[in-house]
Amino acid sequence: MNRILTIEDDAVTAREIVAELTRNGLDVDWVDNGREGLERAVSGDYDLITLDRMLPELDGLVIVTTLRTMGVATPILMISALSDVDERVRGLRAGGDDYLTKPFATDEMAARVEVLLRRNSGTREPETALRVADLELNLISREASRNGQLLSLLPTEYKLLEFLMRNSGQILSRMMIFEEVWGYHFDPGTNLIDVHIGRLRKKIDPPGLEPLIRTVRGSGYVIAEPC
């Protein structure tokens, strides 16, 4: 079972995080101040850390910077009420792996934790290809093929497909896709994702083949083996 360390001084938020991650089968420890949080995190006993940006005794940004300086590579999901672009960039440059702004939906938070855990699991050998059923994405040549047929992808379509395939079986929310593919930390309220998903479907899921890309109403998109 994956172990999670939640460093959060707001008890209500902390209880929500612990409850949601526990429901998802994770073992969660909670501390409510930065100093104790850093002491726990340095141990390396955790598979992931959720870290509040503003904490008593020791700031979240100081914690993530200290951990990375010490060589602790545990994935960190930073959670903050500070939502401006500069703060997000500062947090990620310091060594955070993802940045989620308050208020947030607990299922969105859990999805981001799952993505980070997946990304950090398994072999450290560099991947050269991603596969879902008979769909293959060559990360060296940056070419995609399905059922042996080469697919022509535009650069953004390739980036979107790579994100989906790296997290196959995992529902990715619109916000997660906007951040990863377009670099937006907010939903611009456009049909940008819908257009690109539609284009991918035409190329990847043509008539006669089992669809791999699915829309999960109210949640996001997922690519997975046919049911």
Side-chain angles (χ1 to χ4, degrees):
M1 179 184 293
N2 286 312
R3 294 190 67 200
I4 310 297
L5 174 63
T6 290
I7 310 174
E8 170 62 62
D9 65 319
D10 181 74
V12 173
T13 301
R15 282 195 290 267
E16 291 175 349
I17 292 173
V18 171
E20 182 67 23
L21 295 182
T22 301
R23 275 196 296 270
N24 282 268
L26 302 173
D27 182 16
V28 189
D29 291 338
W30 166 43
V31 296
D32 62 2
N33 68 84
R35 192 166 302 281
E36 184 181 355
L38 179 60
E39 292 175 358
R40 295 276 196 101
V42 167
S43 69
D45 292 337
Y46 296 94
D47 299 292
L48 183 138
I49 300 166
T50 71
L51 175 65
D52 188 20
R53 171 66 173 82
M54 295 180 290
L55 292 162
E57 298 190 32
L58 206 59
D59 182 75
L61 203 59
V62 174
I63 293 174
V64 69
T65 302
T66 302
L67 290 173
R68 296 313 186 225
T69 300
M70 297 177 68
V72 178
T74 308
I76 297 174
L77 170 61
M78 299 192 73
I79 299 176
S80 176
L82 303 174
S83 59
D84 60 277
V85 177
D86 289 343
E87 277 298 330
R88 182 176 188 275
V89 170
R90 192 174 293 118
L92 295 177
R93 282 181 176 173
D97 297 276
D98 197 1
Y99 192 99
L100 182 63
T101 57
K102 297 178 181 179
F104 56 86
T106 55
D107 58 347
E108 168 87 357
M109 177 274 303
R112 289 171 182 259
V113 166
E114 179 66 24
V115 167
L116 291 177
L117 288 173
R118 278 171 167 262
R119 189 181 298 169
N120 198 57
S121 65
T123 177
R124 295 290 182 176
E125 292 297 319
E127 293 179 289
T128 59
L130 302 173
R131 294 176 181 82
V132 176
D134 57 352
L135 173 65
E136 180 173 336
L137 191 66
N138 188 308
L139 301 175
I140 306 300
S141 65
R142 297 178 67 85
E143 292 178 331
S145 62
R146 183 166 187 202
N147 197 30
Q149 298 297 312
L150 197 63
L151 307 174
S152 177
L153 299 180
L154 297 174
T156 303
E157 293 169 351
Y158 175 90
K159 193 172 182 180
L160 174 57
L161 180 60
E162 181 183 356
F163 185 47
L164 289 168
M165 293 183 70
R166 283 191 183 278
N167 300 284
S168 62
Q170 172 68 40
I171 299 172
L172 302 177
S173 70
R174 293 175 62 86
M175 194 65 253
M176 294 168 74
I177 294 172
F178 271 129
E179 290 187 357
E180 179 70 23
V181 179
W182 283 275
Y184 298 159
H185 73 293
F186 60 94
D187 188 334
T190 70
N191 65 345
L192 197 59
I193 292 178
D194 307 282
V195 169
H196 281 80
I197 288 288
R199 289 174 178 169
L200 272 182
R201 279 186 167 131
K202 287 181 180 178
K203 297 176 180 182
I204 292 168
D205 297 332
L209 294 181
E210 289 283 347
L212 300 180
I213 299 176
R214 299 198 301 274
T215 300
V216 181
R217 187 175 296 276
S219 297
Y221 301 92
V222 61
I223 192 168
E225 302 268 349
C227 298

